[in-house]
Amino acid sequence: MTSLDATVPPLEELLGSAHVVSLKLFDRFRGLDSREALLLEGPEGWTEFSPFVEYDDAESASWLRAAIDFGWQPTPHALRTSIPVNATVPAVPAEKVSEVLARFPGCRTAKVKVASGDQTLADDVARVAEVRRVLGPEGRIRIDANGLWNVDEAEHAIHALSVFDLEYVEQPCMTVPELAEIRHRTAYLSVPIAADESVRKSGDPLAVARAGAADILVIKAQPLGGIRAALSIIGQTGLPVVVSSALDTSVGLSMGAHLAASVPGLYFDCGLGTASLLADDVTIEPLLPVNGAIPVRRVVPDAALLAQHAASAERRDWWLSRLARTHALVTAE
């Protein structure tokens, strides 16, 4: 799953521009209160390497390929200049939903996190119900379980939440066979199934499409090795896609926006409005939603913000060591 058309830059070149930042979040997300990222500057502009800290070096290699692809290769021809995006609602109490949605002005679609380990299905129902109340009947709601339900739990939850007119359910279960089974079991509800982790964390990202386990694919540039690798996967599956982020800084979101701009058919609002989840960012012009969309453009970090949000020396060393190990894997391919 490579996206590189040229020699990988030497490690010294990457280290020469590397900045490690730690950005606070408004609300806990994926168990995180802050997001760390390593930013690099290539000949084509700034780029991002930010695999989550629990990912091993082998999985992180795709993220580095993506960073090099975006920073050292020209971007494909853009078919659009702005990308409609969805709001993202973390697993917050229902009374905080309005506050969260207010950070996504003009967004007609909301993705709501469900299946959090410290909450119940009743909490999920209350959260989704409040999103429906705020958005009104014309709004679109998709839910994301991050693969945390088993098939029986997923069937029960989808049945309970389907009354809110769901656009789709993202990754209700973790494995491809489980997705195929829940898609069959809940077909009578006419709620599409979307696959995320089954695509980006799989050694065979096409398996979910071949198995008929999903109606929609959620595509993320960094985990899939970059814009070109992601476009190749999209072209091979024939399924509609939603381009989304991995809780990136605005630099990483720019990569996602350029991917979305290159997809021939873009039928869903994209999950690229997540700069609104960050209390901090690396640029004075973050890619925040305006009228429900973000522009397709490169992002240049602000030197003062890079310094202000610089990670601790210990965390910087950890990331630079990770970069070196991952670079060795990529150059050995």
Side-chain angles (χ1 to χ4, degrees):
M1 198 192 313
T2 183
S3 63
L4 303 183
D5 300 322
T7 304
V8 177
L11 178 61
E12 293 73 19
E13 183 176 346
L14 301 183
L15 292 172
S17 66
H19 289 266
V20 180
V21 295
S22 178
L23 306 177
K24 293 179 182 178
L25 304 176
F26 283 113
D27 300 290
R28 179 172 283 263
F29 192 86
R30 293 184 85 260
L32 300 174
D33 295 307
S34 63
R35 180 70 165 112
E36 293 181 342
L38 191 155
L39 305 181
L40 303 163
E41 186 178 15
E44 295 293 328
W46 285 86
T47 187
E48 179 168 333
F49 171 64
S50 56
F52 292 104
V53 295
E54 67 268 22
Y55 291 1
D56 63 20
D57 294 344
E59 185 170 359
S60 299
S62 291
W63 298 63
L64 182 56
R65 287 194 293 269
I68 295 170
D69 176 57
F70 191 53
W72 274 259
Q73 298 291 323
T75 55
H77 174 67
L79 303 175
R80 48 191 70 86
T81 59
S82 66
I83 307 299
V85 298
N86 63 259
T88 299
V89 180
V92 297
E95 56 267 24
K96 286 201 68 175
V97 163
S98 293
E99 175 187 331
V100 172
L101 290 176
R103 300 186 202 127
F104 297 85
C107 292
R108 61 182 180 177
T109 302
K111 178 166 86 168
V112 186
K113 290 289 186 177
V114 295
S116 177
D118 60 349
Q119 299 192 9
T120 66
L121 179 56
D123 295 322
D124 293 338
V125 169
R127 185 180 315 110
V128 176
E130 180 62 8
V131 172
R132 172 55 68 204
R133 186 193 70 78
V134 175
L135 291 184
E138 70 281 1
R140 302 174 184 177
I141 298 177
R142 53 186 72 156
I143 60 172
D144 181 10
N146 289 112
L148 295 174
W149 288 322
N150 62 40
V151 175
D152 290 336
E153 289 170 336
E155 183 178 15
H156 179 56
I158 294 170
H159 185 271
L161 293 164
S162 64
V163 297
F164 300 109
D165 188 21
L166 302 180
E167 183 179 42
Y168 61 75
V169 179
E170 182 175 331
Q171 202 71 41
C173 308
M174 185 54 70
T175 70
V176 172
E178 287 176 322
L179 283 184
E181 183 176 352
I182 193 62
R183 183 170 179 258
H184 174 72
R185 282 201 200 181
T186 59
Y188 72 97
L189 293 171
S190 299
V191 178
I193 301 297
D196 175 10
E197 284 86 349
S198 293
V199 179
R200 64 181 170 89
K201 295 179 73 69
S202 172
D204 182 4
L206 302 178
V208 68
R210 285 198 302 269
D215 304 283
I216 301 160
L217 300 185
V218 177
I219 298 292
K220 299 177 179 179
Q222 280 204 76
L224 291 176
I227 292 174
R228 289 164 181 78
L231 288 173
S232 175
I233 291 168
I234 292 168
Q236 292 178 71
T237 65
L239 291 175
V241 301
V242 177
V243 178
S244 194
S245 78
L247 198 56
D248 308 323
T249 75
S250 282
V251 172
L253 289 173
S254 174
M255 187 193 308
H258 279 84
L259 169 58
S262 305
V263 175
L266 200 62
Y267 307 111
F268 296 92
D269 292 345
C270 291
L272 298 172
T274 51
S276 293
L277 298 176
L278 300 173
D280 305 318
D281 209 331
V282 297
T283 173
I284 58 176
E285 295 182 312
L287 287 183
L288 295 168
V290 176
N291 296 323
I294 63 169
V296 179
R297 60 172 173 85
R298 291 271 183 175
V299 168
V300 178
D302 179 75
L305 290 175
L306 288 176
Q308 179 181 340
H309 302 307
S312 67
E314 179 183 6
R315 295 306 300 160
R316 181 178 186 275
D317 290 345
W318 185 90
W319 274 95
L320 295 183
S321 176
R322 184 188 211 185
L323 175 65
R325 295 193 311 271
T326 310
H327 181 270
L329 292 179
V330 172
T331 55
E333 292 173 347

